[in-house]
């Protein structure tokens, strides 16, 4: 029997109400169920991932500890306890009328620094004219004696100032090579030095004891003074620098470096010398070679620097006599040639080292727990990354990587204006095409302007 229409509507409404009530009841029960404690065995036991822990590189192989390379100085209490320099190399007395400051920058490796300082003193450079620049970045730690010999950034401040009687300047923080060079120039300006010398800390020197000028022997220092005097002549020309064995020892005319704006500190290390020298040449300054003596480039040190003083015991029975009773061995002696042989051997070893020429920079590993401690390997890696960054900056500045900017037709005003890789044939071809298109467009526009002018 068919349901009436009204009865059908009531049935549908009732079924709908029942469905709504049933759903509400189920949701209510589910909510209660979620709030009830769940038996341990019912929980999903999915282990959470372990917290990452630091993973360390393999520890570098421990190098042997270094020893001080001037044994006599370690026992000395005053400069008088050190040997006198060879009499033929003694600085002029009184001092020459010119100022002859010599900067030697230091960041790490005390043995190499002490070697180069001793070599300059023994070659006749007045100690009071030598300025060691402590660029270790440890602020006053070396001055206060807070670092130890195994620390790469250790410098024996009292040894330098009290025994060797040279000056020590301290940079406020670690400077890059470009910044250090500007520090030299700034110091020269502050002290009103029209010229100054600077030397690499891995380049010991020796006076050429076979050299004579008009029958008279000249030490490395007196020859360097002669070169400086030449450059001071009014008609000498627009000189920027004189190089002795490239720039291992350099004479700088202060104002020339100021005139070109100093070293570009955006290029911290490698390629900054190229940038500076090219800019000097672009301004028509000159850089010329000079000769003063023998200049070496080494990565190691002689074990006992006393050999530079060329003194020997007065008696074969006395192993380490007081310095005051030791006599000089004589100019151009067998001992002199033995010193040259050792330095030649050290220089050759540096140039032939398959690990690189500058391994001396990371030769020490100590200093843990001391002020301003830096991991040696990490410091070396950071410096290397900074060097690579500088190469990129140089290439971006001049649009090319090679150093010979002037030969490529680049001028001073081209800095930061050139398209990267502008020398590539593809870019040159596109540039020629763009110029042709531009010329045609200008000719067309000029013709249109002429037609409008006639109409």
């Amino acid at each position: 029997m068919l349901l009436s229409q009204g009865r059908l509507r009531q049935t549908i409404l009732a079924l709908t109400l029942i469905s709504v009530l049933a759903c509400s009841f189920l949701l209510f029960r589910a909510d209660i169920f979620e709030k009830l404690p769940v038996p341990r065995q019912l929980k999903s036991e999915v282990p959470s991932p372990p917290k990452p822990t630091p993973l360390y590189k393999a520890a570098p192989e421990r190098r042997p500890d270094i020893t001080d390379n001037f044994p006599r100085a370690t026992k000395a209490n005053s400069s008088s306890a050190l040997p006198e320099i060879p009499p033929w190399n003694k600085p002029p007395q009184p001092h020459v009328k010119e100022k002859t400051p010599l900067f030697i920058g230091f960041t790490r490796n005390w043995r190499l620094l002490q070697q180069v300082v001793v070599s300059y003193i023994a070659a006749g450079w007045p100690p009071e004219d030598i300025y060691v620049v402590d660029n270790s970045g440890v602020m006053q730690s070396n001055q206060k004696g807070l670092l130890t010999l195994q620390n790469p950034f250790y410098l024996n401040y009292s040894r330098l100032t009290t025994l060797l009687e040279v000056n020590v300047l301290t940079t406020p923080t670690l400077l890059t090579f470009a910044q250090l060079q500007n520090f030299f120039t700034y110091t020269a300006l502050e002290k009103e030095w029209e010229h100054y010398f600077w030397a690499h800390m891995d380049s010991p020197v020796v006076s050429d004891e076979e050299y004579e000028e008009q029958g008279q022997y000249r030490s490395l220092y007196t020859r360097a003074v002669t070169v400086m005097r030449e450059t001071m002549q009014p008609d000498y020309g627009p000189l920027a620098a004189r190089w002795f064995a490239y720039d291992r020892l350099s004479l700088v005319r202060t104002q020339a470096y100021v005139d070109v704006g100093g070293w570009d500190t955006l290029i911290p290390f490698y390629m900054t010398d190229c940038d500076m020298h090219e800019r000097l040449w672009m301004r028509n300054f000159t850089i010329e070679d000079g000769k003063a003596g023998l200049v070496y480039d080494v990565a190691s040190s002689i074990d006992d620097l006393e050999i530079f003083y060329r003194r020997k015991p007065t008696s074969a029975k006395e192993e380490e006599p007081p310095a005051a009773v030791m006599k000089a061995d004589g100019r151009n002696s067998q001992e002199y040639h033995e010193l040259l042989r050792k330095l030649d051997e050290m220089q050759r070893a540096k140039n032939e080292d398959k690990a690189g020429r500058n391994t001396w920079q990371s030769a020490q590993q100590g200093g843990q727990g001391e002020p301003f401690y830096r991991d040696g390997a990490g410091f070396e890696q950071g410096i290397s990354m900074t060097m690579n960054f500088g190469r990129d900056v140089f290439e971006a500045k001049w649009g090319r990587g090679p150093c010979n900017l002037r030969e490529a037709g680049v001028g001073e005003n081209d800095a930061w204006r050139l398209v990267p890789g502008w020398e590539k044939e593809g870019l040159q071809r596109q540039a020629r095409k763009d110029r042709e298109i531009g010329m045609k467009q200008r000719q067309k526009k000029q013709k249109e302007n002429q037609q409008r002018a006639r109409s």
Side-chain angles (χ1 to χ4, degrees):
M1 183 171 63
L2 298 175
L3 295 174
S4 65
Q5 189 174 2
R7 188 72 177 272
L8 180 60
R9 282 199 299 271
Q10 291 177 355
T11 303
I12 293 173
L13 181 61
L15 291 172
T16 302
L17 181 60
I18 291 170
S19 299
V20 171
L21 290 173
C23 290
S24 300
F25 177 74
L26 291 173
L27 291 172
F28 175 74
R29 289 295 300 273
D31 184 61
I32 293 176
F33 180 77
E34 287 179 358
K35 293 179 180 179
L36 291 176
V38 180
R40 186 179 300 273
Q41 65 271 17
L42 297 180
K43 287 186 176 181
S44 176
E45 297 185 3
V46 178
S48 58
K51 183 180 178 180
T53 57
L55 301 177
Y56 296 94
K57 305 172 185 176
E61 183 180 350
R62 181 71 187 178
R63 297 188 180 95
D65 287 349
I66 66 167
T67 57
D68 195 281
N69 53 346
F70 201 173
R72 184 181 292 273
T74 63
K75 306 170 187 176
N77 295 319
S78 67
S79 59
S80 61
L82 298 182
E84 292 187 10
I85 70 169
W88 52 89
N89 282 339
K90 284 192 174 182
Q93 291 294 338
H95 192 287
V96 297
K97 63 180 180 179
E98 298 87 0
K99 296 176 180 178
T100 55
L102 169 66
F103 292 114
I104 304 174
F106 167 81
T107 297
R108 46 189 168 157
N109 199 314
W110 162 248
R111 284 169 59 93
L112 260 65
L113 174 69
Q114 185 170 221
Q115 176 173 252
V116 77
V117 171
V118 166
S119 76
Y120 272 99
I121 293 173
W125 214 285
E128 65 271 21
D129 287 2
I130 297 176
Y131 291 78
V132 172
V133 179
D134 180 1
N135 183 44
S136 57
V138 300
M139 297 191 181
Q140 296 179 328
S141 299
N142 280 317
Q143 185 175 352
K144 295 179 178 180
L146 301 179
L147 306 186
T148 56
L149 181 61
Q150 304 310 318
N151 192 316
F153 306 98
Y154 165 85
L155 172 150
N156 193 322
Y157 188 94
S158 62
R159 173 88 55 83
L160 292 170
T161 56
T162 304
L163 297 186
L164 298 177
E165 299 181 323
V166 303
N167 307 281
V168 178
L169 305 176
T170 303
T171 60
T173 189
L174 179 69
L175 304 180
T176 66
F177 180 80
Q179 291 169 333
L180 185 62
Q181 290 293 328
N182 283 342
F183 181 80
F184 294 166
T185 305
Y186 174 81
T187 304
L189 288 171
E190 287 287 292
K191 295 182 178 294
E192 299 182 346
W193 294 334
E194 294 183 1
H195 293 78
Y196 63 87
F197 294 85
W198 73 273
H200 290 255
M201 62 162 286
D202 56 347
S203 295
V205 298
V206 179
S207 293
D208 184 351
E209 297 187 8
E210 298 182 80
Y211 175 84
E212 291 186 352
E213 190 174 302
Q214 296 179 346
Q216 183 178 1
Y217 170 76
R218 306 288 298 281
S219 70
L220 179 139
Y221 174 71
T222 55
R223 293 177 67 186
V225 171
T226 299
V227 171
M228 185 179 72
R229 286 172 175 167
E230 291 174 0
T231 69
M232 297 173 70
Q233 298 301 318
D235 58 348
Y236 192 83
L239 179 84
R242 297 289 295 269
W243 286 345
F244 306 86
Y246 186 55
D247 67 352
R248 296 173 191 167
L249 170 63
S250 294
L251 167 65
V252 173
R253 184 178 281 178
T254 307
Q255 192 58 45
Y257 278 30
V258 173
D259 287 347
V260 297
W263 295 68
D264 188 343
T265 55
L266 294 177
I267 309 173
F269 293 100
Y270 287 132
M271 302 306 292
T272 195
D273 54 345
C274 172
D275 175 87
M276 178 62 167
H277 301 149
E278 286 287 323
R279 287 188 290 114
L280 285 166
W281 285 319
M282 289 173 185
R283 287 281 190 96
N284 295 320
F285 284 107
T286 60
I287 299 175
E288 301 175 6
D289 291 332
K291 292 186 181 297
L294 306 175
V295 186
Y296 293 86
D297 180 27
V298 302
S300 58
S301 169
I302 291 173
D303 289 332
D304 190 345
L305 300 181
E306 197 160 318
I307 189 175
F308 282 97
Y309 291 90
R310 309 283 302 292
R311 297 279 170 170
K312 57 186 179 182
T314 55
S315 171
K317 297 179 181 179
E318 200 165 10
E319 293 184 0
E320 190 174 311
V325 300
M326 297 178 70
K327 67 177 182 179
D329 61 20
R331 181 162 67 90
N332 197 26
S333 64
Q334 181 179 345
E335 288 79 5
Y336 164 74
H337 288 281
E338 175 62 16
L339 172 60
L340 300 191
R341 185 193 65 77
K342 288 184 177 182
L343 292 170
D344 281 330
E345 189 176 274
M346 290 159 57
Q347 180 168 261
R348 184 169 59 254
K350 178 176 183 176
N351 292 329
E352 295 176 356
D353 191 342
K354 295 180 180 179
R357 299 180 66 258
N358 293 321
T359 53
W360 61 269
Q361 295 177 347
S362 56
Q364 293 165 256
Q365 298 172 317
Q368 291 84 350
E370 297 176 1
F372 295 91
Y373 170 73
R374 307 181 187 97
D375 177 82
F379 182 82
E380 180 67 19
Q381 182 179 359
I383 292 292
S384 178
M385 294 170 69
T386 308
M387 290 176 179
N388 291 332
F389 166 76
R391 292 186 179 98
D392 292 341
V393 173
F394 178 88
E395 188 167 349
K397 180 178 181 178
W398 300 107
R400 68 194 305 271
C403 189
N404 54 335
L405 300 178
R406 291 164 302 130
E407 292 180 20
V410 176
E412 181 183 12
N413 295 327
D414 292 330
W416 299 107
R417 297 178 58 236
L418 297 172
V419 174
W422 55 269
E423 293 173 290
K424 296 178 180 177
E425 178 56 32
L427 290 176
Q428 290 289 316
R429 187 166 51 250
Q430 183 61 47
R432 290 192 293 269
K433 185 176 180 181
D434 291 343
R435 284 195 293 270
E436 291 176 1
I437 293 173
M439 183 181 297
K440 290 179 180 178
Q441 290 176 341
R442 287 191 297 273
Q443 290 174 346
K444 180 179 179 182
K445 188 173 182 179
Q446 184 180 12
K447 187 176 181 179
E448 290 173 351
N449 291 337
Q450 292 174 349
Q451 290 176 347
R452 279 196 296 269
R454 286 195 298 267
S455 60

